[in-house]
Amino acid sequence: MQQKQKSTGLVWFQNNLRITDNNSLFEACKNHEKVIAVFIFDVRLFDQKIFGFSKIDKFRTKFLLETVADLKKNLAKLNITLLTYFDFSDALIPNICKEYNVDEIYVQKEWTREEVEILENVNRKIPSEIKITETYDQFLYHPNDIKMSFNTIPKVFTQLRKYLEKEISIRNEVEISKKPIENLVENTTKIPTLTQLGFDHFEQPTKSAFPFSGGESSAEKRIEYYFFETQKLGVYKKTRNGLVGTDYSSKLSAWLANGSISAKTIYWKIKEYENKFGPNDSTYWLIFELIWRDYFKYISLKHGNSIFKIGGILNKEYEWNSDKDKIRKWIDGETKEPFVNANMIELKKTGWMSNRGRQNVASYFAKELELDWRIGAAYFESVLIDYDVHSNYGNWMYVGGVGNDPRDRKFNIKLQAERYDGDKEFQKMWD
Ligand code: FAD
């Protein structure tokens, strides 16, 4: 009698680069005897430019490489091999399915145009028996729990926040209970090097506010440090507008952006902290900020590709310019505003900028220089270590007056500098 083939699940990792609370991995381990995993450094990400900026620069690339290396180690402990390639995802996935007799592909559900196109291409190329299971796994509040259709999502943040806090429960983390059988497949693939991806080796300046490395393990260490060892979480609301050092805010954004930690894991860690040390304004405020993150994801679910259009989701017709010299001066920190300059130099040298800095430089770009906000957003996309499509384009639209700011504010840069950098400590650091 012929032995029945063991069924194989393929977890195609993208922006969900973790083993804890990973729904795709959880489902694959539950449903299949054999599980393999793949991560592809898609050539398009490293080749293409928007408004003249590469889609990913050296800071995020290095962080991503560290993240994938950590994932590979963690997956091996679960008997799962991570195959890694530098190639075109949609060309490669069908071949992997064939080579490893894959029955089902598991991916995090994405809805922005480039990701959707790639998955559609894969779907066209694989045999119809291979199922693709997509799950939203990047939210704090799961989209399937929302009792309204995406096009009725409230325009204003506070309305959505109140609805979510009142009506929706945050799900528990998923936990893998069944390891796949010993199925480490022979793996001749290697994680590419920074040089192979087109960048020279570099070190972060010692004064960087973001000296951290990528990977789930370092995200866990950061939480341990920020929440439990130092209890900085307990004063977060007072320090979160800071500019200098590693601890004024959680710094969790880069790990959240590539999914090496889930928003739910952070939430449940905050609850653990509250049980131990008591809740306060600050513990709530970190959750509040995570809801902002969800909000921009819901706005992009609602409005689709409008988040990339010049008129934004409001379809506003402003006069924008694209003066090359003004853009260059903004990037190089040579504007007439020292506070803008210091923030822009920090970004250029480290890939990091505080939330206070981002709001000021974006407002200056769009509202003072009246430059096409999408160019500023594209520069951020390239350089930011924590770039996230929804948070980046959502915040840029918001600050640029084509998004959801009910007050359409313009920042007074000088006042902001006095208020948040009165002694010029930050400006002296990055002059
Ligand atoms: P904390 O203050 O510790 O907040 C905790 C978490 O809450 C963050 O990690 C983040 O996930 C979320 N959060 C906080 N503020 C916001 C916000 N305004 N919008 C959405 N989520 C928020 N954030 C990104 O993660 N990726 C981006 O590409 C990005 N681009 C931005 C562009 C502009 C123009 C502006 C004004 C903001 C942008 N932000 C972006 C939001 C915010 O600046 C960063 O999330 C924050 O500075 C990250 O630092 P932290 O992790 O220490 O934040």
Side-chain angles (χ1 to χ4, degrees):
M1 206 173 79
Q2 219 189 349
Q3 225 191 348
K4 187 180 166 288
Q5 274 231 321
K6 296 202 166 35
S7 83
T8 303
L10 173 69
V11 184
W12 176 9
F13 280 92
Q14 295 179 50
N15 276 331
N16 57 344
L17 301 170
R18 61 178 182 274
I19 59 161
T20 305
D21 192 33
N22 183 325
N23 208 74
S24 296
L25 188 63
F26 169 77
E27 287 295 328
C29 291
K30 195 174 79 186
N31 300 336
H32 303 275
E33 289 118 313
K34 290 181 73 171
V35 176
I36 51 172
V38 62
F39 180 84
I40 303 162
F41 294 82
D42 198 292
V43 173
R44 277 164 283 224
L45 182 63
F46 297 90
D47 258 15
Q48 289 177 357
K49 295 200 166 174
I50 19 168
F51 293 110
F53 305 114
S54 59
K55 287 172 80 75
I56 185 167
D57 209 330
K58 61 182 182 183
F59 302 110
R60 201 162 70 257
T61 303
K62 183 165 180 266
F63 195 80
L64 179 62
L65 284 167
E66 293 159 353
T67 305
V68 173
D70 189 55
L71 178 69
K72 189 172 178 177
K73 259 195 245 153
N74 290 336
L75 282 170
K77 291 180 211 153
L78 293 172
N79 300 333
I80 298 170
T81 303
L82 180 70
L83 306 166
T84 53
Y85 303 89
F86 179 31
D87 209 323
F88 290 93
S89 315
D90 36 359
L92 200 66
I93 293 287
N95 295 344
I96 295 175
C97 288
K98 207 164 163 196
E99 188 175 342
Y100 295 97
N101 284 318
V102 168
D103 297 284
E104 191 160 347
I105 303 173
Y106 295 84
V107 284
Q108 175 166 283
K109 183 161 179 61
E110 301 289 348
W111 57 93
T112 35
R113 70 183 163 214
E114 287 160 13
E115 289 76 7
V116 169
E117 263 172 38
I118 290 178
L119 193 63
E120 279 172 2
N121 290 345
V122 168
N123 210 356
R124 261 195 302 275
K125 289 182 193 162
I126 55 173
S128 56
E129 311 81 78
I130 302 180
K131 203 176 144 202
I132 301 183
T133 298
E134 295 177 83
T135 35
Y136 292 113
D137 212 10
Q138 57 279 72
F139 287 79
L140 182 60
Y141 288 96
H142 200 292
N144 294 356
D145 298 339
I146 302 288
K147 295 169 195 78
M148 59 172 104
S149 73
F150 295 149
N151 48 28
T152 58
I153 298 282
K155 271 201 205 94
V156 177
F157 167 71
T158 310
Q159 281 173 22
L160 179 68
R161 175 179 61 78
K162 286 190 173 157
Y163 165 77
L164 294 171
E165 288 177 337
K166 188 154 177 261
E167 305 291 340
I168 314 295
S169 303
I170 290 166
R171 294 185 181 188
N172 288 326
E173 296 167 272
V174 291
E175 203 179 325
I176 296 162
S177 51
K178 179 169 88 58
K179 264 198 210 177
I181 53 167
E182 285 283 342
N183 71 328
L184 288 170
V185 295
E186 194 195 324
N187 189 1
T188 53
T189 69
K190 291 223 157 38
I191 298 174
T193 62
L194 194 59
T195 323
Q196 283 166 335
L197 295 176
F199 302 100
D200 292 335
H201 175 76
F202 68 95
E203 297 287 342
Q204 274 281 356
T206 45
K207 60 185 175 183
S208 172
F210 196 93
F212 310 107
S213 47
E216 183 168 7
S217 311
S218 70
E220 283 163 1
K221 274 194 207 130
R222 175 66 184 168
I223 290 183
E224 207 41 49
Y225 168 86
Y226 194 76
F227 288 20
F228 301 104
E229 278 168 36
T230 62
Q231 291 180 42
K232 300 247 161 137
L233 171 60
V235 291
Y236 164 74
K237 190 157 182 251
K238 291 197 195 83
T239 60
R240 57 179 281 274
N241 279 308
L243 300 157
V244 176
T246 52
D247 292 349
Y248 57 81
S249 62
S250 76
K251 304 287 165 69
L252 289 170
S253 54
W255 291 290
L256 274 165
N258 71 20
S260 37
I261 187 124
S262 80
K264 270 194 286 156
T265 295
I266 298 174
Y267 174 85
W268 290 114
K269 283 283 176 194
I270 298 173
K271 292 290 140 191
E272 198 182 312
Y273 175 98
E274 289 179 339
N275 285 336
K276 236 178 166 164
F277 305 109
N280 67 14
D281 279 7
S282 287
T283 56
Y284 169 67
W285 214 260
L286 197 65
I287 300 170
F288 179 92
E289 293 298 338
L290 290 173
I291 305 177
W292 266 107
R293 179 177 174 274
D294 263 20
Y295 170 68
F296 286 120
K297 293 194 184 303
Y298 279 110
I299 288 300
S300 113
L301 266 177
K302 175 177 178 180
H303 293 279
N305 290 336
S306 297
I307 66 166
F308 304 116
K309 294 194 180 135
I310 190 159
I313 57 172
L314 296 183
N315 226 346
K316 284 254 182 184
E317 289 192 17
Y318 288 128
E319 284 287 321
W320 301 100
N321 75 82
S322 55
D323 185 314
K324 286 210 164 58
D325 194 46
K326 283 188 190 161
I327 296 168
R328 190 198 56 75
K329 285 188 167 144
W330 178 76
I331 288 175
D332 291 339
E334 292 172 10
T335 73
K336 64 180 176 50
E337 290 295 346
F339 188 56
V340 168
N341 298 346
N343 277 292
M344 293 306 294
I345 294 170
E346 180 188 29
L347 177 63
K348 195 174 185 182
K349 295 202 169 154
T350 66
W352 177 262
M353 193 192 294
S354 68
N355 184 51
R356 186 53 41 195
R358 294 180 204 202
Q359 290 188 28
N360 275 277
V361 303
S363 176
Y364 186 74
F365 188 90
K367 298 241 168 94
E368 184 68 36
L369 302 175
E370 297 178 341
L371 287 162
D372 178 346
W373 67 273
R374 295 170 308 165
I375 302 173
Y379 178 65
F380 267 37
E381 172 168 351
S382 181
V383 186
L384 273 181
I385 207 160
D386 66 2
Y387 167 72
D388 168 273
V389 56
H390 318 288
S391 289
N392 191 53
Y393 283 85
N395 273 289
W396 268 97
M397 282 195 301
Y398 195 89
V399 180
V402 297
N404 312 57
D405 185 358
R407 290 176 285 171
D408 195 9
R409 282 159 290 188
K410 176 178 168 181
F411 282 76
N412 180 328
I413 309 289
K414 287 201 180 5
L415 274 183
Q416 290 271 312
E418 269 167 38
R419 185 158 172 202
Y420 296 103
D421 192 31
D423 55 5
K424 299 202 168 56
E425 185 190 1
F426 176 72
Q427 288 165 75
K428 283 182 207 144
M429 226 170 141
W430 301 105
D431 65 356

